[in-house]
Amino acid sequence: MQAPDAGESRHRYPARAVLLDYLYSGLGLLFTLGPLGLAASAGPAAWVLGGLGALFAVYGVRTVLRHRTALRVSEEGLVVEGLLRRRLPWVRLTRCTLGYYSTRRNRDRGWMQLTLKAGGRNLRIDSQIEGFDRIVRRAIHAAQSHGIALDHTTQENLRALGISAGDADPSADHT
């Protein structure tokens, strides 16, 4: 297996990937806190609307944080740059899985999620991030370099991406 290139790449979630999340959060706040502001009672309806409004507010904050987060990938590992900076060095990698989550029964639509574990930390990266394939190739290469076995589901999902586990060299341009 070839060694990865010495290059570093930066990845972000593009605006189009989080646009619907912003919309859902805004509409949720409008339809929960709007009626709450008009209601004069502090009854059960106010508690339910307030609780739901709080959930939509948290969802909105998470969307903003995700949109402002950048992921830097290098030979040494991953660095998440945002409000909270986190490092995941490849040498500490203990688990690497690639899952597919469908929104339909026929598995027609959905997204992939790369889950990496190093020590006690988990990092999840979904396929809406720019350059997802390159991140997956780097992670699979690192996992294989450190003797981490890939489960059957991960291998199947790699094939769906057009990546064979033995060809996970990120230096190769597959775009």
Side-chain angles (χ1 to χ4, degrees):
M1 180 183 317
Q2 295 176 336
D5 63 353
E8 182 175 282
S9 60
R10 288 180 56 88
H11 308 270
R12 299 182 84 77
Y13 288 96
R16 66 176 159 64
V18 292
L19 187 60
L20 279 176
D21 294 338
Y22 281 126
L23 180 66
Y24 295 151
S25 176
L27 287 174
L29 288 169
L30 178 70
F31 290 124
T32 56
L33 299 183
L36 181 63
L38 298 175
S41 70
W47 282 101
V48 170
L49 289 173
L52 289 173
L55 289 175
F56 282 111
V58 167
Y59 185 69
V61 168
R62 285 194 59 186
T63 300
V64 169
L65 292 175
R66 182 171 167 214
H67 189 199
R68 296 182 52 95
T69 296
L71 184 67
R72 190 168 31 112
V73 184
S74 70
E75 302 182 30
E76 291 82 34
L78 300 168
V79 177
V80 179
E81 299 170 336
L83 182 63
L84 300 173
R85 186 177 171 102
R86 295 186 310 176
R87 290 184 176 279
L88 192 142
W90 296 131
V91 295
R92 296 191 60 207
L93 189 66
T94 57
R95 186 167 181 225
C96 178
T97 59
L98 181 63
Y100 176 75
Y101 301 92
S102 179
T103 58
R104 300 195 180 207
R105 280 188 186 197
N106 65 2
R107 298 181 57 86
D108 183 32
R109 292 189 185 168
W111 71 95
M112 288 196 168
Q113 185 176 66
L114 177 66
T115 303
L116 304 171
K117 184 173 185 179
R121 292 187 172 190
N122 281 328
L123 178 62
R124 291 181 179 87
I125 305 162
D126 75 48
S127 56
Q128 290 184 326
I129 197 165
E130 295 170 337
F132 181 72
D133 289 4
R134 183 171 182 179
I135 297 167
V136 169
R137 289 178 200 288
R138 276 267 185 175
I140 297 303
H141 180 80
Q144 292 175 329
S145 296
H146 293 92
I148 298 168
L150 302 176
D151 63 26
H152 177 73
T153 302
T154 296
Q155 292 177 25
E156 287 295 316
N157 289 328
L158 284 170
R159 279 191 278 284
L161 277 179
I163 301 171
S164 71
D167 182 37
D169 178 8
S171 64
D173 187 13
H174 299 281
T175 54

